[in-house]
Amino acid sequence: MGDNVVDVRVDDIAVTGLQMSDPGVENAATWTAGLARQGGPVYCSAQVYHQNYGADLGTRIAKLYAG
């Protein structure tokens, strides 16, 4: 046995008998890394899709170097 990594991604969660505040997983502040299991931690992160991420990042970097 060795170290194994499982990468799970979810979007638009549907549950029965419960109400979720952010079922579309659009707000990173709603989701926390509060999971644990026997044998070690579970590492969680929320990645929210940003339609213009590349262009916005380029603009921010250009401003940093415009000095």
Side-chain angles (χ1 to χ4, degrees):
M1 278 207 231
D3 292 334
N4 297 305
V5 175
V6 176
D7 184 10
V8 178
R9 298 166 190 238
V10 297
D11 194 14
D12 295 323
I13 300 169
V15 294
T16 302
L18 301 172
Q19 183 176 7
M20 296 180 65
S21 61
D22 185 23
V25 194
E26 300 299 327
N27 182 359
T30 302
W31 298 94
T32 62
L35 299 175
R37 65 174 178 84
Q38 288 182 335
V42 176
Y43 300 102
C44 301
S45 65
Q47 298 174 344
V48 178
Y49 175 75
H50 186 293
Q51 185 173 0
N52 297 317
Y53 179 78
D56 290 349
L57 180 61
T59 300
R60 285 185 266 157
I61 291 172
K63 286 180 183 178
L64 288 172
Y65 288 99

